[in-house]
Amino acid sequence: MASAYDRAITVFSPQGRLFQVEYALETVKSGSSALALRVKEGVVMAVEERTQSKLQSQHYSQKLFQIDEHIGAAASGLISDARILVDSARVYAQILRLSYDESPSVEMIAKRIADVMQLYTQHAGVRPFGAALLIGGVSGDGGRVFYTEPSGVMIEYDAWGIGRGSDKIKEFFEMNYKFDLTLEEAKTLALKSLVYSIDRVEENWSARLVVIPVDTRQFMTVSQEEVNSILRPLLSAKK
Amino acid sequence: MHIRFFDDAQSKEDQLRSRLLKTGTTTIGFIARDFVVFATDKRATAGFYIAHRNTRKVHQIAPHAAITIAGRVADAQSLIDVLRANARYYQIAWRKTIEIKTLATMTSNFLFGNKYFPFQAQFILGGVDTYGPHLFNIDLFGSLTEERMLATGSGSPIALGVLESEYREDLSLDEAIKLAYKAVAAAIRRDIGSGDNIDVAYISPATMFRELSSNEKRPLFENFVRPFLPS
């Protein structure tokens, strides 16, 4: 008996396109901006934060996630999809630790997330994930940043941006990114590129920042006070 | 006709329990002031064969929590690996430091989940969290009791004798370390299942998990082991 879940939702078009995947990518393109970059001293990741209401709690980070002690992710698109992917990556990181008795590399985690995303483009009854992730961390000799998207593609970058402001962020990176920046300079560069990517400064616009330094290999949230102190002059200059 | 009486006959269950619980080892743990101290011997046996003389029996689970093992080494090690992975997952997913009672409950649930094919190991789990120092005894089926002073393994009766005589709640860290070392040293002298060396570790709010180095243990060796060695 034919079931409603027999047919894949993602099928090829006559031109060889996967429309569902492309539509998922549209969701990502309209999501709030996120970026990640790696420098000699570590990895920096940032997201723009647009609180819908003053009543919303400031403390809970919506789009920046920790996956393991030394790995984090920044998401853009359908954040609930991102949350599920991140949680499965967290479990997988511990499975890797149990199996190999070593810190999982950023690549292992990124590949796992990309594999799950790919599976959901080729399995009956499911839709692709509507989120792209920038997975950053320190493993081996230094920081690494990987990009994964609804198609299941995985690409390593030195610096990249995703979401609605991604074109502007990438433009800013191409002009200003250097591997030899210090962590402090990288933090400022991250926030500058976010400010560059917005059309105008809105009242409830803010940003969140995390760093994973090469020396500590620890995922660390940068305090909102420090973020605001860097943002304030940038935002007033923009106004 | 020869009639034989077995006055000291144990029930099958008791025999099983005594064989399983008191396998070669002495491990102790106790709370004093705001810290927890652990001490263990380092001998691993296979029957009467000393399989390993440098066995690690006190393991760090998280910066603020540690567990000692007594019993079948493979069972205990695999449980500790699983416990560590779950503790790490908890701390990353929920972004909070895991409490000692939570770790103890996780261990207990895991062991009870394997009730029909038990892990042949007994654990002392202890550490410091926001509610202070804690110590738990967890047996092979997962029974959980919170204690201030514990000893497990075949050498535990002897160690307990020393601890019962000298333990006080207000011992300083220095006194506590000496007492812990002394208790295990005494057990080693009387239990063939225990021996070869002594590990001491403690968890205090100031230092979190710290193990004593060989240098730090040398004066303890001189005071509590050397005088009793055959000349």
Side-chain angles (χ1 to χ4, degrees), chain A residues 87-103:
Chain A
D87 204 52
S88 104
R90 282 175 178 153
V91 173
Y92 188 65
Q94 296 311 314
I95 291 173
L96 287 177
R97 277 181 186 270
L98 266 178
S99 311
Y100 301 122
D101 195 22
E102 63 173 14
S103 257

Side-chain angles (χ1 to χ4, degrees), chain B residues 11-68:
Chain B
S11 72
K12 258 288 180 237
E13 200 192 325
D14 284 334
Q15 277 177 36
L16 205 66
R17 197 183 297 130
S18 58
R19 190 156 47 86
L20 288 174
L21 283 190
K22 294 195 171 72
T23 43
T25 281
T26 308
T27 66
I28 67 159
F30 60 84
I31 293 175
R33 300 196 189 176
D34 61 350
F35 56 85
V36 187
V37 177
F38 303 94
T40 71
D41 76 307
K42 290 174 80 65
R43 175 174 290 181
T45 51
F48 289 114
Y49 171 63
I50 297 174
H52 196 43
R53 293 197 293 267
N54 210 23
T55 324
R56 171 176 281 289
K57 301 188 191 185
V58 59
H59 294 259
Q60 183 181 0
I61 302 295
H64 64 302
I67 195 168
T68 68

Side-chain angles (χ1 to χ4, degrees), chain B:
Chain B
M1 193 169 73
H2 189 85
I3 301 166
R4 296 168 70 193
F5 293 97
F6 298 95
D7 291 314
D8 54 348
Q10 282 176 302
S11 72
K12 258 288 180 237
E13 200 192 325
D14 284 334
Q15 277 177 36
L16 205 66
R17 197 183 297 130
S18 58
R19 190 156 47 86
L20 288 174
L21 283 190
K22 294 195 171 72
T23 43
T25 281
T26 308
T27 66
I28 67 159
F30 60 84
I31 293 175
R33 300 196 189 176
D34 61 350
F35 56 85
V36 187
V37 177
F38 303 94
T40 71
D41 76 307
K42 290 174 80 65
R43 175 174 290 181
T45 51
F48 289 114
Y49 171 63
I50 297 174
H52 196 43
R53 293 197 293 267
N54 210 23
T55 324
R56 171 176 281 289
K57 301 188 191 185
V58 59
H59 294 259
Q60 183 181 0
I61 302 295
H64 64 302
I67 195 168
T68 68
I69 58 181
R72 199 160 298 239
V73 179
D75 288 2
Q77 283 180 344
S78 77
L79 181 129
I80 285 172
D81 286 343
V82 165
L83 191 61
R84 266 206 197 108
N86 279 286
R88 257 201 220 97
Y89 173 80
Y90 180 104
Q91 297 197 142
I92 286 176
W94 308 121
R95 299 185 305 161
K96 72 181 246 236
T97 309
I98 192 168
E99 282 168 44
I100 307 302
K101 70 169 165 72
T102 307
L103 281 168
T105 303
M106 281 161 66
T107 312
S108 161
N109 289 342
F110 189 77
L111 289 165
F112 193 78
N114 285 280
K115 187 168 195 293
Y116 301 117
F117 197 177
F119 275 78
Q120 289 173 24
Q122 190 186 8
F123 306 92
I124 300 175
L125 192 153
V128 175
D129 59 27
T130 49
Y131 297 100
H134 296 277
L135 196 69
F136 290 92
N137 184 36
I138 308 166
D139 84 344
L140 76 171
F141 292 122
S143 77
L144 189 58
T145 53
E146 187 163 6
E147 314 276 357
R148 301 203 67 77
M149 181 177 78
L150 278 169
T152 65
S154 55
S156 60
I158 301 115
L160 230 30
V162 175
L163 289 174
E164 286 286 3
S165 314
E166 305 200 22
Y167 170 74
R168 281 184 350 261
E169 292 215 348
D170 62 352
L171 290 168
S172 71
L173 184 60
D174 212 56
E175 293 170 325
I177 288 172
K178 287 199 173 85
L179 177 59
Y181 192 96
K182 193 174 13 165
V184 177
I188 287 173
R189 288 201 293 282
R190 285 283 173 173
D191 172 45
I192 46 168
S194 308
D196 294 306
N197 246 317
I198 302 176
D199 271 343
V200 182
Y202 63 90
I203 302 178
S204 77
T207 65
M208 293 290 106
F209 179 86
R210 254 211 87 232
E211 253 193 279
L212 260 57
S213 66
S214 327
N215 281 333
E216 290 170 297
K217 288 189 283 188
R218 196 156 297 124
L220 296 166
F221 179 87
E222 295 299 325
N223 275 319
F224 299 114
V225 177
R226 189 180 289 289
F228 302 97
L229 291 174
S231 51

Side-chain angles (χ1 to χ4, degrees), chain A residues 4-218:
Chain A
Y5 299 107
D6 282 349
R7 202 163 36 89
I9 289 169
T10 312
V11 290
F12 282 108
S13 76
Q15 295 78 36
R17 293 161 67 175
L18 292 171
F19 282 119
Q20 282 301 306
V21 173
E22 293 187 18
Y23 299 155
L25 283 162
E26 288 299 315
T27 310
V28 172
K29 263 194 232 158
S30 60
S32 56
S33 306
L35 60 87
L37 63 148
R38 71 182 193 112
V39 292
K40 204 193 292 179
E41 290 190 351
V43 168
V44 173
M45 295 193 283
V47 297
E48 68 169 344
E49 198 75 48
R50 220 174 268 241
T51 44
Q52 310 284 51
S53 154
K54 262 194 292 204
L55 299 171
Q56 191 177 339
S57 167
Q58 300 285 338
H59 304 295
Y60 194 75
S61 173
Q62 311 278 3
K63 303 157 217 172
L64 274 173
F65 303 93
Q66 182 174 7
I67 292 176
D68 199 353
E69 267 143 44
H70 58 305
I71 302 178
S76 180
L78 219 50
I79 297 304
S80 39
D81 283 7
R83 194 181 67 232
I84 299 304
L85 284 165
V86 163
D87 204 52
S88 104
R90 282 175 178 153
V91 173
Y92 188 65
Q94 296 311 314
I95 291 173
L96 287 177
R97 277 181 186 270
L98 266 178
S99 311
Y100 301 122
D101 195 22
E102 63 173 14
S103 257
S105 70
V106 188
E107 186 178 341
M108 288 180 197
I109 300 297
K111 182 181 179 293
R112 165 66 174 200
I113 292 177
D115 286 350
V116 172
M117 283 172 149
Q118 189 279 338
L119 181 68
Y120 278 64
T121 69
Q122 211 179 8
H123 193 275
V126 299
R127 61 158 176 83
F129 285 94
L133 293 175
L134 286 169
I135 299 135
V138 174
S139 57
D141 288 327
R144 300 184 77 181
V145 170
F146 288 87
Y147 165 74
T148 61
E149 61 166 38
S151 63
V153 128
M154 177 179 111
I155 304 177
E156 185 173 5
Y157 286 106
D158 291 330
W160 201 241
I162 54 179
R164 75 183 121 212
S166 60
D167 287 336
K168 284 270 184 69
I169 293 170
K170 289 179 234 175
E171 191 184 301
F172 197 81
F173 277 161
E174 286 196 18
M175 291 189 288
N176 298 293
Y177 167 79
K178 280 195 305 276
F179 181 70
D180 285 317
L181 296 171
T182 66
L183 215 51
E184 289 307 309
E185 291 168 332
K187 279 148 90 173
T188 311
L189 178 64
L191 292 172
K192 275 190 178 157
S193 64
L194 273 179
V195 174
Y196 183 77
S197 76
I198 55 177
D199 295 323
R200 54 184 178 77
V201 182
E202 277 164 39
E203 197 196 298
N204 54 3
W205 190 93
S206 182
R208 297 205 196 267
L209 197 64
V210 298
V211 292
I212 305 165
V214 167
D215 49 13
T216 64
R217 290 177 176 238
Q218 279 287 353

